[in-house]
């Protein structure tokens, strides 16, 4: 295996001392412009890159930021939200020549342990934190460590603890419910994500509040938790559609569950939207190629990732923590929603 080129190799090829190479590559005075240019040209020819670990130990940036997911691994491969989010994050980091260090762990305690280890080892300059909890130890830990961080999705930590970027889930859910109510739906079930997640709690609370405001009967509008997977989305759909008074509209917390739920309805002989209306949170290609095409909340998820990455780089550079709100999701009605039949 070929070894990595070193400063000694560059010095030998350029015919200069190792200290001259160090001065040239670190932008320090002590060498002429011609020598600096020659050293940098040789370094490029040899494929030399600075050692991030050594730079971190000397107090410089490591050139990497971290992202840890404490979710069941099987739920990640089918959810387009994270792919779009990471694509936006990577777009900003690539332009800054910053690497993204990614890890999946089993729970939030393991996630906190990763943050402690990364910061102690100077592996990252900051972290992007997802899936904010209603009771979340991470903002306080990150603030105590002094590890620059951005909570994606907001958080309930004291103001000034860590930065956050978020979308207005409550207003988006209110828009969905008002739309379905306007079509005439009175029995509406929200197939929700993981309980304990802050955005799940915001959506559930908004659903209840909006149902009360609209005067919908108690028990006719509710939320059913899942793990975001297609399997649990399908299972939850099967259960609620088998009830004596099944819902006439289902709101799913992601596109994968919405598609799985539509398939269950077709299997049971329940036409969409003839007897059942379906709405998906976070639009994707799945929603647009499914027949009928699914009504969905549309937002720029990649742009959400770009906003989070830009905010983290600003915090790393010394900006104070702050809360930023992304573009508001908008509801795009398609063929999967219609007024319920008169008999329902």
């Amino acid at each position: 295996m070929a070894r990595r080129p070193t400063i000694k190799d560059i010095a030998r090829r350029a015919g200069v001392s190792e200290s001259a190479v160090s001065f040239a590559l670190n932008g320090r005075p002590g060498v002429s412009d011609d020598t600096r240019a020659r050293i940098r040209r040789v370094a490029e020819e040899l494929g030399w890159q600075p050692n991030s670990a050594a730079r971190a130990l000397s107090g410089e940036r490591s050139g990497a930021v971290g992202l840890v997911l404490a979710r069941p691994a099987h739920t990640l491969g089918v959810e387009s939200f994270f792919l779009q989010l990471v694509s936006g994050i990577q777009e900003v980091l690539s332009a800054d020549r910053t690497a993204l260090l990614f890890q999946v762990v089993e729970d939030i305690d393991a996630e906190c342990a990763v943050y402690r280890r990364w910061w102690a080892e100077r592996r990252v300059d900051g972290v992007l934190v997802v899936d904010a909890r209603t009771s979340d130890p991470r903002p306080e830990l990150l603030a105590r460590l002094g590890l620059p961080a951005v909570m994606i999705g907001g958080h309930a930590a004291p103001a000034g603890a860590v930065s956050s970027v978020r979308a207005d889930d409550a207003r988006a859910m209110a828009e969905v419910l008002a739309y379905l109510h306007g079509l005439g739906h009175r029995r509406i079930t929200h197939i929700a994500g993981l309980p304990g997640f802050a955005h799940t709690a915001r959506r559930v609370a908004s659903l209840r509040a909006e149902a009360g405001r609209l005067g919908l009967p108690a028990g006719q509008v509710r939320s059913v938790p899942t793990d975001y997977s297609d399997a649990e989305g399908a299972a939850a759909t099967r259960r609620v559609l088998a009830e004596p008074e099944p819902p006439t509209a289902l709101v799913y917390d992601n596109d994968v569950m919405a598609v799985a739920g539509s398939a269950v309805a077709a299997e049971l002989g329940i036409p969409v939207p003839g007897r059942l209306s379906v709405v998906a949170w976070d639009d994707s290609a799945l929603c647009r190629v499914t027949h009928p095409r699914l009504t969905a909340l549309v937002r720029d998820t990649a742009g959400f990732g770009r906003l989070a990455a830009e905010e983290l780089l600003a915090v790393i550079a010394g900006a104070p923590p702050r809360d930023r709100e992304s573009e508001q999701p908008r509801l795009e009605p398609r063929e999967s929603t219609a007024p319920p039949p008169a008999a329902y």
Side-chain angles (χ1 to χ4, degrees):
M1 183 180 296
R3 64 180 181 83
R4 295 175 58 188
T6 65
I7 285 180
K8 183 179 292 186
D9 297 326
I10 298 170
R12 186 181 302 114
R13 174 78 68 89
V16 297
S17 67
E18 292 178 36
S19 59
V21 174
S22 178
F23 291 158
L25 297 180
N26 288 298
R28 294 162 55 191
V31 293
S32 68
D33 291 342
D34 289 343
T35 300
R36 190 185 305 276
R38 184 170 80 256
I39 290 171
R40 288 181 172 172
R41 185 171 61 252
V42 169
E44 185 175 349
E45 290 170 355
L46 292 176
W48 178 86
Q49 291 292 331
N51 186 312
S52 59
R55 291 176 63 185
L57 287 171
S58 68
E60 297 183 59
R61 285 183 53 182
S62 67
V65 299
L67 173 62
V68 184
L69 293 183
R71 275 198 186 192
H74 71 274
T75 66
L76 301 177
V78 294
E79 192 170 352
S80 63
F81 172 83
F82 274 113
L83 296 177
Q84 296 177 55
L85 182 74
V86 171
S87 72
I89 290 169
Q90 191 59 43
E91 184 179 337
V92 171
L93 296 183
S94 294
D96 191 63
R97 302 186 68 180
T98 297
L100 180 64
L101 186 58
F102 176 75
Q103 188 165 340
V104 177
V105 296
E106 64 273 15
D107 55 36
I108 200 166
D109 290 336
E111 182 179 342
C112 290
V114 170
Y115 295 144
R116 293 188 187 95
R117 186 175 72 252
W118 278 355
W119 193 233
E121 295 174 353
R122 297 177 173 83
R123 296 282 299 278
V124 296
D125 299 312
V127 292
L128 294 160
V129 185
V130 296
D131 295 336
R133 269 61 167 185
T134 51
S135 179
D136 201 326
R138 296 173 298 175
E140 182 182 349
L141 169 66
L142 294 166
R144 188 170 66 250
L145 291 174
L147 175 56
V150 171
M151 297 286 295
I152 298 176
H155 60 80
V162 296
S163 283
S164 72
V165 296
R166 60 183 178 85
D168 193 341
D169 293 286
R171 189 167 66 170
M173 178 59 84
E175 181 182 355
V176 170
L177 195 60
Y179 167 72
L180 292 173
H181 180 268
L183 289 176
H185 293 277
R186 300 297 181 265
R187 299 200 304 270
I188 303 167
T189 297
H190 169 215
I191 308 297
L194 286 160
F197 280 13
H199 63 265
T200 302
R202 288 195 296 267
R203 295 173 191 179
V204 170
S206 177
L207 184 81
R208 291 173 180 166
E210 189 66 9
R213 190 187 71 80
L214 294 171
L216 293 173
Q220 296 295 295
V221 178
R222 58 183 173 143
S223 297
V224 176
T226 71
D227 68 355
Y228 287 109
S229 70
D230 57 332
E232 284 209 13
T237 301
R238 196 177 300 278
R239 288 195 306 272
V240 300
L241 292 181
E243 294 172 347
E245 287 191 320
T248 62
L250 295 174
V251 181
Y252 293 87
D253 256 4
N254 69 12
D255 55 339
V256 173
M257 293 197 298
V259 171
S262 297
V264 168
E267 177 189 331
L268 296 175
I270 300 173
V272 174
R275 279 175 50 195
L276 178 69
S277 287
V278 172
V279 178
W281 207 284
D282 286 329
D283 186 34
S284 73
L286 279 177
C287 298
R288 297 188 294 273
V289 301
T290 299
H291 180 73
R293 296 188 309 150
L294 300 183
T295 294
L297 277 165
V298 179
R299 66 174 170 182
D300 183 4
T301 305
F304 196 32
R306 288 192 295 271
L307 179 65
E310 289 166 358
E311 181 63 19
L312 180 58
L313 292 178
V315 173
I316 291 170
R322 58 180 174 170
D323 294 325
R324 300 181 67 182
E325 188 169 311
S326 70
E327 176 185 344
Q328 174 68 17
R330 60 178 176 82
L331 185 66
E332 183 167 318
R334 297 188 181 119
E335 293 88 355
S336 68
T337 48
Y344 285 79

